[in-house]
Amino acid sequence: MKQLHHPDRKDIQLASVLYALSDPIRLYVASEIRKHGAQACNSFKVPIAKSTLTHHARTLREAGVIHTRVQGTQRILSLRTEDLDERFPGLLDSVLQAYERSEPGEGFGDSAEEQEE
């Protein structure tokens, strides 16, 4: 089985983290992991193909934002909060809090009806 690359804490670069968090799908994935804990890739409700979600997960992993653990046929994603807080204190919280406070309808998992309830 192919080994997944995760950068060491000391190798996580600010520009890579900011780039990874600059996409709405990747922000949504990071936010969902923060709210609900580690999740399998197939648990995210996004309007994209599985292969595209895999690309986004890879971008987050290679930037050092998430850790991917293989469990059977699933990939379990978790945030590398401790590593990111050590490298860039408060960055992840700031970005995700701003995203979560953004306008309704910017998320991908909720329909407009669910958000109004």
Side-chain angles (χ1 to χ4, degrees):
M1 175 179 221
K2 182 180 174 185
Q3 190 76 316
L4 300 175
H5 171 72
H6 294 88
D8 291 332
R9 178 185 290 182
K10 65 179 177 28
D11 296 328
I12 297 173
Q13 300 296 313
L14 179 61
S16 297
V17 172
L18 292 174
Y19 172 76
L21 293 173
S22 69
D23 182 90
I25 297 283
R26 295 191 291 261
L27 268 173
Y28 170 75
V29 168
S31 174
E32 288 296 297
I33 295 170
R34 179 173 121 137
K35 288 184 211 171
H36 305 291
Q39 297 184 50
C41 273
N42 63 0
S43 67
F44 300 103
K45 298 175 185 175
V46 290
I48 57 176
K50 285 182 184 181
S51 61
T52 305
L53 182 57
T54 298
H55 164 75
H56 286 300
R58 179 181 180 186
T59 300
L60 288 165
R61 177 176 46 81
E62 290 179 349
V65 176
I66 64 170
H67 182 269
T68 303
R69 176 174 46 93
V70 178
Q71 183 174 316
T73 59
Q74 293 187 327
R75 304 290 189 264
I76 308 300
L77 310 180
S78 59
L79 283 179
R80 293 181 63 180
T81 307
E82 186 177 308
D83 291 336
L84 290 169
D85 284 346
E86 178 70 26
R87 290 283 289 146
F88 315 110
L91 176 69
L92 187 61
D93 277 341
S94 295
V95 170
L96 292 179
Q97 283 175 7
Y99 170 74
E100 291 162 3
R101 285 190 298 240
S102 62
E103 292 296 316
E106 288 186 33
F108 298 97
D110 301 324
S111 67
E113 295 84 34
E114 290 173 341
Q115 290 178 359
E116 290 176 3
E117 292 178 3

